[in-house]
Amino acid sequence: MHVFSRVDEPYVPAPPAPRWAVRAAHAAALVTLPTGVWRLLLAAGFPAGYTATGYAAMDATGRGAVYLVALSVVSEVLALLTLGLVRPWGEVVPSRVPGWGGRVVAPRLVTAVAGCGAVVLTLLWTPFVAWWALPHPDLTDTGAVVVGLLYLPLTAWGPLLGAVTVAYHRRHRASPSPNSATRSAC
């Protein structure tokens, strides 16, 4: 299976993404922001809802701060990749990317990776709905509510990614183009 192929013939893009899919992709990119900002506050030294004992136990300084910042950045980058399912750079790597620029992205691979990501995210975050039923001794009462509200949008990340992935798959499966041989060979 080839991940990329050179655009040797005129590339005909898939039909544009439906408006709902574009909106869902943007929403998927935004649902990680509240938790990312919260983690950055923790890394900057703000207890952000934790009790003094809970914050100290979490060790949000040094390596803990690096972990919190890295987790926030990686989460947002992964969420932003959802936009590739509704944008041209999800079909052809932009020419400004060294080594890969101008290559066609294999739609089957994109669909498989995004589909697996949607399943993993759904399985990972759906149990978070039960947050309200669990005790949180390291958080203040207000902090538990705020953290719950900040993490709750993540339960939508997997389903949003799944819906956008289905739209991507349908657009690429349904588009008979001159480069369909490249697409079906992937």
Side-chain angles (χ1 to χ4, degrees), residues 8-95:
D8 294 330
E9 58 190 54
Y11 180 73
V12 178
R19 185 175 293 168
W20 69 264
V22 173
R23 288 183 179 153
H26 282 89
L30 291 173
V31 296
T32 60
L33 277 177
T35 54
V37 170
W38 178 75
R39 285 190 215 106
L40 293 175
L41 287 172
L42 290 171
F46 296 102
Y50 274 94
T51 62
T53 307
Y55 186 75
M58 187 183 60
D59 188 30
T61 58
R63 279 207 237 160
V66 171
Y67 169 75
L68 290 169
V69 171
L71 182 59
S72 296
V73 170
V74 168
S75 295
E76 193 56 40
V77 166
L78 290 174
L80 287 169
L81 285 175
T82 307
L83 296 174
L85 299 172
V86 296
R87 296 282 179 242
W89 56 268
E91 296 178 19
V92 178
V93 179
S95 59

Side-chain angles (χ1 to χ4, degrees), residues 86-182:
V86 296
R87 296 282 179 242
W89 56 268
E91 296 178 19
V92 178
V93 179
S95 59
R96 65 183 171 271
V97 176
W100 293 353
R103 293 180 185 247
V104 177
V105 181
R108 284 186 183 177
L109 179 64
V110 171
T111 302
V113 170
C116 289
V119 170
V120 167
L121 289 169
T122 301
L123 293 174
L124 177 69
W125 292 114
T126 299
F128 198 84
V129 174
W131 168 267
W132 314 105
L134 302 172
H136 304 288
D138 290 340
L139 294 170
T140 64
D141 290 340
T142 304
V145 171
V146 170
V147 171
L149 291 174
L150 293 176
Y151 269 81
L152 198 56
L154 290 175
T155 61
W157 189 5
L160 286 168
L161 176 58
V164 176
T165 301
V166 169
Y168 179 89
H169 173 72
R170 287 180 179 164
R171 286 187 311 120
H172 286 83
R173 186 183 58 168
S175 62
S177 63
N179 50 344
S180 60
T182 303

